[in-house]
Amino acid sequence: MSLQGKRIVVGLGGGIAAFKAVELVRELMRRGAEVRVVMTDAARRFVGPITFAGLTGKPPVTDLWAEDYAGEVHVELGEWADAVVIAPATMNLMARAANGHADDVVLATLACAKGQVFFAPAMHSRMWSHPAMQRNAEALTRSGAVLLGPVIGPLASGEIGLGRMMEPVEIADGVETHLAHAKDLEGVRLLISAGPTHEDLDPVRFIGNRSSGRMGYAIAAQALRRGAEVTIVSGPVHIPPPSGAEVVQVWSARQMHEAIMSRFDAFDVVVMAAAVADYRPHRRAGQKIKKGENLQIELVRNPDILADLGAKRAQRPAVLVGFALETENLEQAAREKLVKKAADLIVANEAGAGLGGDTNRAVLVEAGSSTPLPQMSKRALADQILDRIRVLLHQAAHRQGREAERDAPN
Ligand code: CTP
């Protein structure tokens, strides 16, 4: 009963998966939620309002102009709900929501929603992969909505593809997880580095790496959702930052070092998710290097930002998190880094498990424990990392309290 006391609006779009919304409403109620249903006209072609009336004890709202409502029903529901879950979310409904349309009761309720908004997309795989759909999905995510699915499976057409709606139990799980995390990082100030660094050889060439910035940006996005204040110090990447984050753009490791060292003392947590280049060319040529015989480039060490933060002792951030990318002896190497760089947590990735993609597999290495995690989305991994950071913050606050007590004159 972990949705006990939560108020949830389930909004139905018109798709064949609408029948599964019946099961979703039952599942949410089974977990303790109070549920109200809103439906588009198209949804009513697939499933009857009477079914939901029977389940929830309240007639679903199907019409903005319903005469049995004295006030504005969409404003009332938007205010009332801790969460609005759109299932099934059709291509049309998502496009209209992404563009701020509000001419039916589902869209108008979404526009007024004060709580967390979820979409469970359901459509043919070609519709899901359509560039317009992807743009709209991204816009909805950037405005704070959470997408649950779609998943790969049999579609209404009989084909198998990515576009099938998540199963009701999984949707309920997603809603529950997100609501449980809601705002548990309020008041926490988090500085996070992300992406690669580029080390210039000459005005047109650089040495870089394949980091996409996705892992760091996912941590930033989840931290924002959970109420943290977030600043991203970002190397050059091709993905948009989550809305609400302050972004400081840098290019090289030395710029990143400067950006972080001049700011860190205003933060409680620093996460070094950037793939910082360990070396840079000794000299940056003023003009484009012309080709000749073989070329030798001398590389010199870059500053180690994580180690420099760890060495700050008293003024260091309460929680310091690093990443480690290893090809062998994953855990042992991560543990060595934990000690050498005086970090509180090292997120250890097997090389190849995450670089550039949307999923990642990691082991969370701390002084007293290691937690191997299964392969999961970068967003889910971000939440796991933030869960640990929350525990470490509590421990640090405890430690500080004890030290203050010890040092206080009696
Ligand atoms: N890091 C850093 N500054 C650097 C290099 C790395 O702050 N100049 C940070 C990374 O952001 C990451 C962690 O240190 O959080 C681990 O980086 P990695 O390059 O794997 O570790 P190294 O100590 O450089 O060890 P090696 O390259 O020998 O494995």
Side-chain angles (χ1 to χ4, degrees), residues 4 12 35 72 87 112 126 141 150 162 188 237 298 325 343 402:
Q4 193 67 44
L12 277 77
V35 179
E72 292 178 298
C112 291
R126 278 200 297 284
T141 312
L162 178 64
V188 173
V237 296
E298 190 186 345
L325 186 68
R402 274 207 312 273

Side-chain angles (χ1 to χ4, degrees), residues 295-352:
L295 176 67
Q296 301 251 355
I297 298 166
E298 190 186 345
L299 299 175
V300 293
R301 280 294 299 267
N302 270 328
D304 188 318
I305 307 168
L306 183 59
D308 284 357
L309 287 169
K312 286 281 170 198
R313 297 183 190 283
Q315 317 107 341
R316 52 165 273 164
V319 175
L320 189 55
V321 181
F323 275 69
L325 186 68
E326 307 290 347
T327 49
E328 55 185 353
N329 299 334
L330 182 63
E331 226 178 286
Q332 190 196 332
R335 196 159 288 288
E336 279 163 17
K337 259 170 218 175
L338 186 81
V339 175
K340 200 171 80 191
K341 304 199 187 193
D344 302 292
L345 166 63
I346 294 282
V347 182
N349 294 291
E350 237 167 76

Side-chain angles (χ1 to χ4, degrees), residues 236-405:
V237 296
H238 302 287
I239 53 173
S243 58
E246 187 199 349
V247 183
V248 181
Q249 303 278 3
V250 297
W251 177 261
S252 66
R254 279 196 295 181
Q255 286 172 4
M256 186 173 277
H257 185 262
E258 155 66 23
I260 290 175
M261 298 317 279
S262 64
R263 281 181 179 77
F264 79 89
D265 50 7
F267 291 86
D268 308 299
V269 183
V270 178
V271 179
M272 284 298 302
V276 187
D278 287 321
Y279 298 93
R280 67 175 181 279
H282 180 46
R283 249 186 301 277
R284 176 189 186 276
Q287 305 298 329
K288 187 177 165 225
I289 301 168
K290 288 291 180 191
K291 72 173 129 340
E293 286 309 305
N294 292 345
L295 176 67
Q296 301 251 355
I297 298 166
E298 190 186 345
L299 299 175
V300 293
R301 280 294 299 267
N302 270 328
D304 188 318
I305 307 168
L306 183 59
D308 284 357
L309 287 169
K312 286 281 170 198
R313 297 183 190 283
Q315 317 107 341
R316 52 165 273 164
V319 175
L320 189 55
V321 181
F323 275 69
L325 186 68
E326 307 290 347
T327 49
E328 55 185 353
N329 299 334
L330 182 63
E331 226 178 286
Q332 190 196 332
R335 196 159 288 288
E336 279 163 17
K337 259 170 218 175
L338 186 81
V339 175
K340 200 171 80 191
K341 304 199 187 193
D344 302 292
L345 166 63
I346 294 282
V347 182
N349 294 291
E350 237 167 76
L355 217 61
D358 284 322
T359 63
N360 206 346
R361 192 173 56 245
V363 185
L364 304 187
V365 178
E366 293 171 51
S369 66
S370 341
T371 316
L373 299 171
Q375 183 99 12
M376 59 178 80
S377 71
K378 288 188 173 171
R379 193 167 71 194
L381 178 57
D383 269 324
Q384 297 271 350
I385 294 167
L386 290 167
D387 287 348
R388 286 313 303 167
I389 288 176
R390 206 160 69 91
V391 173
L392 289 165
L393 272 169
H394 280 300
Q395 289 173 356
H398 235 73
R399 247 194 337 267
Q400 268 174 4
R402 274 207 312 273
E403 277 160 18
E405 228 169 73

Side-chain angles (χ1 to χ4, degrees), residues 20 23-24 120 151 154 164-173:
K20 284 203 211 163
E23 191 52 43
L24 174 63
V151 296
R164 183 180 166 85
M165 189 167 93
M166 255 189 178
E167 291 306 314
V169 170
E170 288 167 28
I171 297 175
D173 282 349

